């Protein structure tokens, strides 16, 4: 099981999803002061921007990562059923693509709302969005899932070629 390279790829996807689940994936700053944090389950704003706290936080991002973790773990355990493992990995990849799209939509939505709350000052400072390192884990997970899909297909082709020889 562990000697197969796609199992290693899927395990790394599982680890990336778990680490990314509890970390901050973006933040907004004004003049080097953090005014808002963006996580997989929460959005929090501080200071003059504290009046915008989203009641419907980005909880769907966390749900998508939990689903990816579940599918990756299940794919690792289904190493003898390669076609089912292949389908689960493809579904996991689709969920990760949806995660990246939802992340972009939420970041844009929160950025627009924070720009509207810019306090009146002599020089208006607009918040700038900074992507955190943990936000690239889903993109790396998509790449690792694609590599795992290739490995699963190679294994399936090898098993089918050995069945033909008999």
């Amino acid at each position: 099981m562990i000697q197969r390279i796609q199992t290693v790829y899927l395990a790394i996807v599982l680890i990336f999803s778990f680490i990314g689940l509890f970390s901050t994936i973006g933040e907004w700053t004004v003049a080097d002061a953090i005014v808002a944090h963006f996580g997989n389950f929460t959005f929090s704003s501080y200071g003059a921007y504290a009046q915008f706290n989203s009641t419907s936080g980005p909880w769907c991002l966390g749900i998508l990562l939990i689903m990816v973790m579940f599918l990756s773990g299940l794919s690792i355990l289904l190493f003898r059923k390669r076609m089912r493992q292949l389908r689960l990995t493809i579904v996991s990849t689709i969920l990760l693509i949806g995660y990246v799209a939802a992340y972009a939509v939420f970041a844009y939505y929160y950025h627009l709302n924070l720009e509207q709350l810019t306090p009146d000052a002599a020089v208006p400072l607009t918040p700038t969005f900074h992507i955190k390192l943990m936000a690239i884990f889903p993109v790396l997970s998509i790449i690792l899932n694609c590599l795992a899909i290739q490995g699963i297909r190679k294994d399936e082709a090898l098993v089918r070629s050995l069945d033909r020889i008999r």
Side-chain angles (χ1 to χ4, degrees):
M1 174 174 92
I2 196 69
Q3 68 270 18
R4 297 170 57 221
I5 191 68
Q6 58 266 26
T7 304
V8 175
Y9 293 147
L10 291 171
I12 293 171
V13 168
L14 182 68
I15 291 168
F16 279 176
S17 297
F18 183 75
I19 291 171
L21 192 62
F22 302 107
S23 60
T24 302
I25 54 177
E27 65 184 16
W28 283 266
T29 59
V30 173
D32 295 333
I34 297 173
V35 295
H37 278 106
F38 178 37
N40 286 311
F41 290 104
T42 60
F43 173 81
S44 304
S45 55
Y46 313 105
Y49 298 90
Q51 57 187 338
F52 175 66
N53 277 323
S54 178
T55 56
S56 60
W59 52 269
C60 70
L61 295 176
I63 299 291
L64 284 172
L65 278 184
I66 289 172
M67 291 171 63
V68 167
M69 285 173 39
F70 176 73
L71 290 176
S72 296
L74 193 60
S75 292
I76 290 171
L77 295 176
L78 291 174
F79 63 95
R80 292 186 186 185
K81 299 176 181 168
R82 286 170 299 282
M83 292 312 291
R84 190 170 294 160
Q85 185 183 35
L86 179 69
R87 287 186 200 111
L88 288 176
T89 307
I90 290 171
V91 169
S92 174
T93 305
I94 292 169
L95 287 175
L96 283 167
I97 291 170
Y99 174 89
V100 171
Y103 173 79
V105 168
F106 275 114
Y108 183 71
Y109 169 74
Y110 291 137
H111 186 72
L112 286 180
N113 285 327
L114 286 173
E115 277 184 346
Q116 290 176 355
L117 292 176
T118 302
D120 295 329
V123 179
L125 298 172
T126 59
T128 55
F129 180 66
H130 301 284
I131 296 175
K132 300 297 270 184
L133 177 66
M134 299 302 169
I136 56 173
F137 279 2
V139 176
L140 294 175
S141 295
I142 291 171
I143 295 168
L144 289 171
N145 269 347
C146 291
L147 292 173
I149 289 169
Q150 282 182 336
I152 295 166
R153 285 184 177 154
K154 283 182 185 177
D155 277 358
E156 184 63 24
L158 179 66
V159 168
R160 286 182 191 236
S161 71
L162 291 176
D163 285 345
R164 257 192 319 258
I165 293 174
R166 288 188 217 172

